[in-house]
Amino acid sequence: MPVSKSEFETLYPADFYTPPELLDEDEMYTVYEIARLLQELDPDAELEPQTEDILLDWAIPWIMVHADDLVVAEPRDDDEPGYYGVNTAE
């Protein structure tokens, strides 16, 4: 159900990083690492599963919106996720 803006003490602009601002162009990242970086956390930070789920709610749409600016690599093993990186091809 919608909530009135007046119920919030502070409202912030929805200003998200671009892939080159967030990711090192020579590195590949999992969606979990991107989720942490979007919250200015270390990519290897330990998180509770519930917290990680919330961060993924931000990371997955971010990846979709920036798909044209990203490259994707398949997982190296069956038990790991895929990887994303900055698309540096011209």
Side-chain angles (χ1 to χ4, degrees):
M1 174 167 234
V3 177
S4 172
K5 287 181 181 178
S6 65
E7 290 193 32
F8 298 94
E9 188 173 314
T10 306
L11 299 173
Y12 303 94
D15 185 23
F16 296 102
Y17 296 101
T18 64
E21 292 172 331
L22 186 68
L23 309 175
D24 183 314
E25 73 176 36
D26 296 324
E27 302 290 333
M28 297 292 284
Y29 302 83
T30 67
V31 67
Y32 303 101
E33 292 164 337
I34 291 171
R36 287 169 175 77
L37 290 170
L38 285 168
Q39 297 298 316
E40 299 181 357
L41 298 171
D42 185 83
D44 297 326
E46 290 291 322
L47 299 174
E48 296 290 324
Q50 301 90 335
T51 302
E52 188 160 69
D53 289 345
I54 292 168
L55 296 186
L56 287 174
D57 286 346
W58 288 87
I60 293 168
W62 183 87
I63 289 171
M64 299 302 294
V65 166
H66 294 289
D68 291 342
D69 300 321
L70 298 169
V71 293
V72 180
E74 292 190 21
R76 296 171 295 177
D77 294 313
D78 290 340
D79 64 340
E80 74 176 12
Y83 287 82
Y84 302 87
V86 177
N87 184 354
T88 57
E90 293 288 318

